[in-house]
Amino acid sequence: MDLQVIGSQLLVGLSRAMILFIVSAGLSFVLGVLRVPNVFHGSLYMIGAFAAFTIATGLGSNAAGLWLALLAAPLAGAVVGLVVERALLSRLYEREHLMLILFTWGIMLILNDVVKLIWGADYRSVLAPPILRGAAHILGAAVPRYNLFLLLVGPLVAVGMWAFTHKTRLGRMARAAAVDREMVGVLGIDVSRILAAAFLVGSYLAGLGGALVAPTTSITLGMDHTIIIEAFLIVTIGGLGNLWGALVGALLFGVTQSLGLLIWPQFAIVFPYAATVLVLLVRPTGLLRSVW
Amino acid sequence: MRAQFLGRSVPASVLAAVAILAAAPAVLPSFYTYLLALALVMGLLATSLNLALGYGGIYQFHHAVFYGVGAYTAALAITRWGWPAWAAFLAGPPAAALTGWLIGWVCVRLTRLYFGMLQISLGSLLWVIVLRWYSFTGGDNGIHGIPLPPILRPVENVYYLILAAVAASLAALYLIVRSPFGATLQAVRDNPQRCQVVGIDVRVHRLVAIIIAAFFAGAAGVLYVALERSVFPNMLFWVLSLEILVMCLLGGWFTFLGPMLGAAIVVTLRIIAGRYTENWTTILGIMLILLIFFMPEGVMGHVQERMIRMRSQAPRPRPGAGPDA
């Protein structure tokens, strides 16, 4: 097989991995801090993508509109996440995981119909900002510019999340709450607010993933389901609650999928799943240390 | 946990229910016979899930997969390999049990959430394969008009087949729950560490529970084929798994017959809701949230608790809100 084809497919896989990483990082953060396996994280991703569509088309798909879509659409996911957390989820933190999963799963079903109600069941698409359209040539291989942009954004988010959790007061308090929620409360800090803020950050990352993926794919109902399964797998491979684990898992997932496309297009999806099973057979609690 | 149904023992109430259900087709229009048959099939599916989830404390989140494998095995054996229908029916449950063994073997090394997530992903993988493999499974079109023996043409006959099979399966599941294995399984659920210490192989007990649950889920899948003569990929979709979880939660997964009741309610609601709205999943979601907030022990758990409290005339602590409690 042509090395250039493999190379460009690899780059596409890596850029897909960046989206997966951003979404998984949010899921992992919520898991780590709030101990909530948030199934409707996938819905927030879908909402981010649809919001990007609305903003972009509302502003006529010009350069400014498209950039604004990428910047503002994630807020839609963040807001929906925060509302659900404050109104309902925050009352359930004392319940066992089973109930939390079922609850967030139920929210996912409802949000799916809400999205259908607002945007309909049609396929939608968003253009990339003009400067990111077309292909760039790297060592003779053609790679879409937008994918290169994603390769920049992914590491930025990784560094940003690390800085947030290690360098800011809020981030440190969130990490402390992850370890011992009661102790943080005893210290006179409003734990409930910290948890809400952490959920907001996680939801924002879901929305950001959705907004960023919008120009690369058709936006449609059902994308919530695909992404949430993938994100949970990635978080599981990496180690629950571990930011860098999410990155490793996303890279493994994205690359096996894109190279699988070259080998067996119809069932490319099998490769990342097989990789996941292999990893978990060798290391049942993930590659990196889980915070659980 | 006493196996009771409104104060009567489970075998007695099942026998009474079977007697009433056996008379039903003589009285009811055939649509309601069909509805009852469907409720029985879904009830068996939910009860099989409850063996793993309620009694085993296993996060069996993608139970629909075993149902789908059972149904597809029967459907494919008839339409692709030309097996006689009865042989194909008999092949369904073992195929589902085999799938349960494979998935369980991978998942049982993990616990709780990890287990659930891995099971969902493996299940989704199977779903994708069924969905994409057009030449074999028919892809998203599914398989329709599966030829069945003439004796299974009237819905009443199918109903009696389903009633007999479900009653036999429930009896078997009940015996399993009451057996030493069932008792150990519940001990494993309540305190895996202590079981490990006294020399019980926790993993093996969990795996066996998954295999048994998968077997009976496969049986439910086969019965669905007998009733509907068709299979489609959504039988392996996670929404159905959630629906089964709702049945258990609604009926009460700390009771043996709770899932049957939950299934009957959900199936009825679904048929009624289907007349007015396409958004069945929203109703499912709202139901789930209301249940979690207001009645986490389910209808039958709720009733049972009331009866116990009435009898003892003293407030008792809630018997835990779920298998994880």
Side-chain angles (χ1 to χ4, degrees), chain B:
Chain B
M1 186 178 327
R2 289 186 298 179
Q4 281 196 334
F5 175 60
L6 303 182
R8 315 236 170 269
S9 74
V10 168
S13 28
V14 169
L15 279 180
V18 168
I20 296 171
L21 286 171
V27 198
L28 293 175
S30 60
F31 173 73
Y32 289 96
T33 308
Y34 161 82
L35 201 63
L36 269 180
L38 190 61
L40 283 169
V41 171
M42 298 317 278
L44 174 57
L45 183 56
T47 309
S48 70
L49 165 66
N50 203 36
L51 176 74
L53 188 79
Y55 288 92
I58 301 161
Y59 276 25
Q60 189 86 335
F61 283 163
H62 214 335
H63 198 59
V65 161
F66 308 121
Y67 173 70
V69 166
Y72 264 92
T73 303
L76 289 169
I78 295 170
T79 55
R80 302 276 187 260
W81 308 322
W83 286 27
W86 298 109
F89 283 178
L90 288 178
L98 184 68
T99 314
W101 181 56
L102 286 174
I103 291 184
W105 182 75
V106 176
C107 293
V108 87
R109 306 157 58 94
L110 311 176
T111 53
R112 302 285 174 201
L113 196 57
Y114 277 107
F115 178 98
M117 288 309 135
L118 191 56
Q119 201 202 27
I120 290 181
S121 53
L122 288 172
S124 296
L125 179 59
L126 266 179
W127 173 69
V128 166
I129 292 174
V130 167
L131 196 65
R132 300 252 174 101
W133 200 352
Y134 281 90
S135 56
F136 185 56
T137 62
D140 56 3
N141 301 318
I143 303 170
H144 298 279
I146 298 164
L148 295 180
I151 192 172
L152 288 179
R153 209 151 284 157
V155 70
E156 285 75 19
N157 289 5
V158 181
Y159 173 80
Y160 283 117
L161 170 72
I162 288 174
L163 182 61
V166 170
S169 302
L170 284 187
L173 280 165
Y174 185 72
L175 289 178
I176 291 167
V177 165
R178 300 301 296 263
S179 72
F181 169 77
T184 317
L185 188 63
Q186 290 169 58
V188 166
R189 171 197 66 197
D190 292 336
N191 199 333
Q193 281 84 13
R194 193 173 293 174
C195 288
Q196 202 96 56
V197 171
V198 297
I200 293 167
D201 194 329
V202 171
R203 279 189 192 174
V204 167
H205 276 80
R206 287 194 173 134
L207 183 58
V208 172
I210 295 166
I211 294 172
I212 297 171
F215 181 89
F216 287 102
V222 167
L223 294 175
Y224 185 86
V225 171
L227 182 66
E228 300 277 0
R229 297 157 182 269
S230 60
V231 288
F232 43 92
N234 271 13
M235 295 179 80
L236 286 83
F237 194 41
W238 61 277
V239 170
L240 180 60
S241 292
L242 184 57
E243 214 170 301
I244 312 167
L245 282 165
V246 172
M247 290 171 191
C248 286
L249 183 59
L250 176 62
W253 46 34
F254 268 91
T255 58
F256 182 77
L257 290 175
M260 288 298 292
L261 178 69
I265 299 174
V266 170
V267 167
T268 313
L269 273 180
R270 180 175 203 154
I271 299 285
I272 296 172
R275 292 194 185 149
Y276 301 102
T277 169
E278 286 183 0
N279 299 332
W280 161 243
T281 51
T282 301
I283 298 173
L284 200 61
I286 293 171
M287 254 167 66
L288 191 52
I289 290 162
L290 291 177
L291 276 172
I292 289 169
F293 270 96
F294 301 113
M295 209 167 51
E297 71 275 26
V299 173
M300 211 168 272
H302 193 75
V303 171
Q304 208 170 70
E305 195 191 328
R306 283 255 169 124
M307 307 252 328
I308 292 169
R309 202 180 301 168
M310 256 165 36
R311 231 171 269 163
S312 64
Q313 291 295 324
R316 284 166 66 105
R318 239 173 31 154
D324 200 15

Side-chain angles (χ1 to χ4, degrees), chain A residues 99-121:
Chain A
M99 291 295 165
L100 291 174
I101 291 177
L102 290 178
F103 169 79
T104 54
W105 211 344
I107 296 286
M108 183 187 198
L109 290 179
I110 296 172
L111 285 181
N112 188 286
D113 273 344
V114 170
V115 168
K116 203 197 313 183
L117 204 67
I118 298 176
W119 284 285

